[in-house]
Amino acid sequence: MLRKLGKWASFNHEDRAALLALPHSLATMAPNQIIVREGAQPSSTCLLRSGFAYRHKIVSGGMRQIFSIHMSGDIIDLQNSLLGTADHNVQALTHCDLAFIPSDAVRRIAFDRPTIGRAMWYDTLVDAAIFREWIANVGRRDAKTRMAHLLCEFALRLEAAGLGRHNAYELPMTQEQLADCTGLTSVHVNRMLRALDREGLISRTKRSVIIDDWKKLARAGDFESNYLRIPLASPPATNEAEYD
Amino acid sequence: MLRKLGKWASFNHEDRAALLALPHSLATMAPNQIIVREGAQPSSTCLLRSGFAYRHKIVSGGMRQIFSIHMSGDIIDLQNSLLGTADHNVQALTHCDLAFIPSDAVRRIAFDRPTIGRAMWYDTLVDAAIFREWIANVGRRDAKTRMAHLLCEFALRLEAAGLGRHNAYELPMTQEQLADCTGLTSVHVNRMLRALDREGLISRTKRSVIIDDWKKLARAGDFESNYLRIPLASPPATNEAEYD
DNA sequence: CGAAGGGTTGAGCCCCTTCAATCTTAGTGG
DNA sequence: CCACTAAGATTGAAGGGGCTCAACCCTTCG
């Protein structure tokens, strides 16, 4: 259940036992339900067991900026719960299965078991690396490049989470939500997706994305995967050459 | 020397002793000198003792996006050094005094001394909160609002670092660098600063900024300070009402 | 079958960029 | 002390990328 952290270290039996013994309560959320509201003081940390969620903030004028998309296995809300007061919202994108773990227990296990603490810390560092990449995306790339970049990032993250292949996956997001990730309008997101489609880089059916030409899409998106810190070609030893 | 971490916890004598005993080497850097280059594998973490530094990345097309500005007391490079390979550049903004601490020693002290480890972890979480705010800034706010927001953020952070007052400080940045923070062009940054000046929100002389009307500037910048997690009105008990 | 959410498309506009010129300031060498 | 230089600030004019507004279509679901 908490195995995703294993990416950063190999846990021994005691570590695993401690993780599995963590007190928690389960919950499910419907799409669009708010998990943590800005200004709230959550006393527990939220782990996403299945489904998708996203973090966002509403700026003056009512526009929304999405900061990150989370998929099953992600610890969504370390920041808000450890720092006391939430400075942004966490919301369900799809139907979600959640586990809430008291922040105290999280803090305790992190410092009692350095291996686990280190994994959690590293996880927050990678989160920050993704934030940085999004700053660059939104700040310095044009609309088509932003979209291509986002699609590439999702591809690798979903594959790493075992939720698809890097060249074909399901993405349960509306174009308006994609717009709020990229700082564009839904209208323009539509045009850019269409353009990528027309140029043969991707194909789309409903909410599924097929990347027809990974190399070209990555180039179009100015995408280099290093910031994600995903060990390439993990279990199903895909053809590494394809990634670059 | 490492006291900034004390914001997050009160250290006992042993903690302080351990921090002061940390092995390190000192260095100075000239303005614009690169401290860590993207792709490098730094084996030590960089602490800024005086001066200013910034983190950035060059995107395809040669444009630059700045991710953060650091001031004395900041630990600049935990991420790059802990995760192995740098995914962005760290560069001196002004003349800098630096201390390099071996990453191993950092890791060790973080886990041997939970109070310190927690402080470091929290520090990275606040960094991430600032990244998120910058995503929102660049993604969903217009040019003038972005500039006002950035000026407010600098004001509070500089004051918290003891480098100025929230309504008057020195900012050693060119307009081109401000542009790379906000995803604008230097030309437009100039126009927006001028506009804020003309409207009586700020005054500028050389590199110093005077905030004539904090309330109005904060409103114009859609700025709420909570994400910075700065305990308001710390030592020189300024008039709290002024902040909001 | 009707309604609602979301995708698609077109036309016109505007914020910001681009390009380029001028001005100011600080630093340098004579 | 001053000419000379370079970096950065300032300003204007013109163009474009993305936005706004508004319509229409498609799919899903009660």
Side-chain angles (χ1 to χ4, degrees), chain A residues 57 60 64-65 67 79 83 85 87 107 118 121-122 132-133 138-140 179-180 184 222 229, chain B residues 57 60 64-65 67 79 83 85 87 107 118 121-122 132-133 138-140 179-180 184 222 229:
Chain A
K57 187 179 242 180
S60 77
R64 178 176 64 169
Q65 177 67 46
F67 301 128
Q79 7 256 311
L83 290 176
T85 306
D87 59 19
R107 255 186 286 255
R118 182 157 112 158
W121 191 6
Y122 281 19
R132 283 194 298 273
E133 194 64 33
V138 162
R140 285 297 185 214
D180 288 336
L184 300 169
D222 187 24
R229 315 274 169 174
Chain B
K57 187 180 242 179
S60 77
R64 178 177 64 169
Q65 176 66 47
F67 300 127
Q79 6 257 311
L83 289 175
T85 306
D87 59 18
R107 255 186 287 256
R118 182 157 113 159
W121 192 6
Y122 282 19
R132 283 195 297 274
E133 195 63 33
V138 163
R140 285 296 184 215
D180 287 337
L184 300 169
D222 187 24
R229 315 274 168 174

Side-chain angles (χ1 to χ4, degrees), chain B residues 6 34 37 41 64 72 92 171 180-181 195 241:
Chain B
I34 292 188
R37 193 181 297 274
Q41 309 202 345
R64 178 177 64 169
S72 66
L171 186 66
D180 287 337
C181 289

